[in-house]
Amino acid sequence: MLFRTTTQAVRSTLVLSSRAKSSNIKIENTSAAMLPYKGVDAAKRPVKVELTAGKTYSWCSCGHSASQPFCDGSHKRPGTTNVRPVRFSVEKSGTYLLCQCKQTENRPLCDGAHKQVNPRPASADAAEALMFSAASPVYEGVAYKLGYKTKNGGYQKP
């Protein structure tokens, strides 16, 4: 299993290196650029950004940043994500299409992966699967804050 993961990581690094050279992008922290998991989509379309040669940028790969497509440190909040930003610089100043769906294989550039992203948010599925028991302190706390009262062994809105 470890060999398989390592082989995939090496293959990803080679693909990333070849794509980065062709697009004049230099990745500063390749370990963040080749993580096997992706962040949540911030938008289902790329954004055009003017980038300056030689300047280092931090592309948000977790999808939680309020300053998309760049990192604002949101990934540092406890319990948010393990995904780290991809630090990069460009060799040539110009307009670049940066990914906002976070599913690209060519981080930080858009590769069209947003066309394959499910329009239904992942949180919709999570909400359907979420269930608390009536004795759960979490459930009681949420019910109380929402104004529900206990009635007939359950919670009802007054």
Side-chain angles (χ1 to χ4, degrees), residues 89-147:
S89 59
V90 293
E91 296 174 4
K92 183 179 176 184
S93 297
T95 304
Y96 292 83
L97 279 177
L98 297 185
C99 174
Q100 292 192 98
C101 76
K102 312 305 176 194
Q103 306 306 306
T104 182
E105 294 296 327
N106 193 17
R107 296 175 184 180
L109 300 177
C110 175
D111 67 357
H114 60 275
K115 296 172 185 172
Q116 307 302 321
V117 176
N118 189 347
R120 180 181 165 103
S123 59
D125 295 330
E128 290 175 5
L130 188 63
M131 187 174 108
F132 293 107
S133 72
S136 168
V138 173
Y139 187 83
E140 289 177 15
V142 172
Y144 175 77
K145 285 190 176 193
L146 293 174

Side-chain angles (χ1 to χ4, degrees), residues 16-73:
L16 181 65
S17 301
S18 65
R19 287 181 180 167
K21 288 177 186 172
S22 66
S23 60
N24 299 322
I25 293 211
K26 180 183 175 195
I27 304 296
E28 307 289 333
N29 60 339
T30 53
S31 63
M34 63 181 200
L35 287 174
Y37 43 89
K38 311 281 173 70
V40 297
D41 62 316
K44 293 183 180 24
R45 58 179 164 58
V47 63
K48 286 184 182 180
V49 179
E50 287 291 323
L51 301 177
T52 307
K55 184 177 176 185
T56 301
Y57 298 93
S58 290
W59 175 76
C60 170
S61 60
C62 73
H64 296 288
S65 175
S67 59
Q68 290 294 331
F70 300 107
C71 177
D72 68 358

